Amino acid sequence: MKKLALHWQILIGMLLGLIFGFAMTFVSGGKEFVIDWIKPFGAIFVKLLKLIAIPLILASLIKGISDLKDISKFRNMGLRTIITYVITTIVAITIGLVLVNIFQPGNGISEETVAKLTDTYASDSGVQSKLATAAAQKSSGPLQFLEDMVPDNAFKAMSNNGLMLQVIFFAIFFGISMLLIGEKAAKPMKDLFDSLNDIVLKMVDLIMLTAPYAVFALLANVVVSSSDPDLLLALLKYAGVVVLGLLFMIVFYTILVSTLTKKNPFWFLKEISPAQLLAFSTSSSAATLPVTMERVEEHIGVDKEVSSFVLPVGATINMDGTSLYQGVAAVFIAQALGFPLDLGGQLTIVLTALLASIGSAAVPGAGMVMLVIVLEAIGFPADKLAIGLALIFAVDRPLDMCRTVVNVTGDATVSMLVAKAVGKLGEPVEKKWDDHYEEVK
Ligand code: ASP
């Protein structure tokens, strides 16, 4: 019997997880059962993915750079990547702002709903911790991000997944220095990183064998931990606007893929779908990164020289879905609380949401932290911030799942565009987990 494609297996796992989680909400002790006995399997899977993220970035980026025939190519690729990321993010924020202005979801929301949401969430520890994190991030100077990018201890950088940009910096610096010592002297290191890279990609294949079961656990847990359905319903229009915007972004990517790379966009979506489904299930582009890299290299044909740079950088700084959401959420909150927002205010949102999405960590819920900074930039009163966040908190998790899909798809799209532009988009060569199994069985 032909084996079901991976994306179908994952989808089935997700669906069963949703149904199971939903059923468990009706059983007494069901929620606790899921949290105690099911959730850990999802958490282990996410941990495994995060476990290999740093070795993968290090090995693939150093390998990618040391394969370069000349360094100027890297500069060209770097510039193209950053510019394309900025353009796609601006498109995303613009789509969000246009939609939220057309549909005005915040204007229809009743005072009772605002009061109920405020009562339920304004002092919730989730909202308060987002405010505290935002306050800590805000107190830094304008060039802080540049300073933060440079590690003072390579091993410390590698010991923290949140310091991905520092690892990228170190790997680029190391790779370029490797090129400069000449091919012969660099060979032992190059062989080491080549082999490390193959090993880590094999680890991705092995971890992915468990993906259909892990997504079951992740989604069952999301369902049992979700908010009161009445509150979710009250925010349906707002959530609908975000989701519609995110769908437009997916359409935008398919247009980019078909016009600029001449590849079939449906093929692109199909090949990238396991990464999208994991982005949805984990709400973390950082955790999804190893899978995105594997899909883009082995199933789409983007050369490692490109993907090893474009994707880790994208996971940290390119968040189209997040910035779209920030635009919609900021205007929604302003509408619902009667805060006037003119064109200047909306343009400020474009700029700050762009910077905020660059600064957002690629982990669940990070977009909401940066939303605080967007709200402050438009002059939203500080004492109402908790109320503002309370308004959207109930639907944040499902929206986070959706925007992470867009974040990951955006990175994959840009890696394809850059690869095409620098002549590095070839035919994919798929590797299976058991290619060498017979030899060691
Ligand atoms: N969860 C998102 C990501 O990892 C970030 C966010 O929007 O909260 O891409």
Side-chain angles (χ1 to χ4, degrees), residues 106-107 331-341 380 384 391:
N107 287 339
V331 177
F332 168 76
I333 292 171
Q335 285 168 353
L337 298 181
F339 177 78
L341 205 56
F380 195 77
K384 289 227 175 106
L391 287 188

Side-chain angles (χ1 to χ4, degrees), residues 22-65:
F22 190 64
M24 280 320 226
T25 56
F26 294 103
V27 177
S28 106
K31 181 174 172 184
E32 290 69 27
F33 175 78
V34 171
I35 290 177
D36 289 343
W37 294 97
I38 306 287
K39 184 181 167 195
F41 295 101
I44 292 173
F45 177 74
V46 172
K47 275 185 156 179
L48 287 174
L49 287 173
K50 288 185 174 167
L51 167 74
I52 54 171
I54 299 271
L56 181 59
I57 295 174
L58 203 66
S60 70
L61 197 48
I62 293 177
K63 176 182 159 44
I65 294 182

Side-chain angles (χ1 to χ4, degrees), residues 130-178:
K130 306 245 183 264
L131 287 171
T133 319
Q137 291 203 3
K138 197 184 54 187
S139 55
S140 48
L143 288 187
Q144 187 66 37
F145 78 99
L146 212 60
E147 199 183 319
D148 289 346
M149 225 180 266
V150 184
D152 58 2
N153 181 329
F155 293 98
K156 204 166 97 198
M158 284 179 231
S159 70
N160 183 345
N161 279 359
L163 298 177
M164 211 116 94
L165 281 181
Q166 294 196 353
V167 177
I168 294 172
F169 178 90
F170 175 74
I172 294 175
F173 195 16
F174 192 95
I176 290 178
S177 306
M178 231 165 107

Side-chain angles (χ1 to χ4, degrees), residues 276-340:
Q276 291 174 316
L277 296 173
L278 285 195
F280 185 81
S281 309
T282 62
S283 288
S284 166
S285 12
T288 312
L289 178 65
V291 182
T292 320
M293 286 180 91
E294 193 256 359
R295 297 306 299 183
V296 160
E297 286 167 16
E298 292 182 9
H299 297 260
I300 292 194
V302 172
D303 194 288
K304 207 177 286 313
E305 270 175 36
V306 176
S307 60
S308 66
F309 171 74
V310 178
L311 292 175
V313 169
T316 26
I317 70 164
N318 180 54
M319 300 200 178
D320 297 343
T322 301
S323 40
L324 184 146
Y325 144 85
Q326 283 166 342
V328 176
V331 177
F332 168 76
I333 292 171
Q335 285 168 353
L337 298 181
F339 177 78

Side-chain angles (χ1 to χ4, degrees), residues 319 322-323 326 351-361 367 370-371 373-374:
M319 300 200 178
T322 301
S323 40
Q326 283 166 342
L351 199 70
T352 39
L354 172 66
L355 296 175
S357 79
I358 294 174
S360 296
M370 300 311 273
L371 174 65
I373 294 173
V374 175

Side-chain angles (χ1 to χ4, degrees), residues 192-215:
L192 176 78
F193 282 109
D194 275 359
S195 164
L196 178 62
N197 186 61
D198 289 347
I199 295 170
V200 182
L201 280 174
K202 191 60 71 189
M203 290 168 104
V204 179
D205 290 342
L206 293 175
I207 297 171
M208 284 305 279
L209 292 177
T210 66
Y213 309 99
V215 292

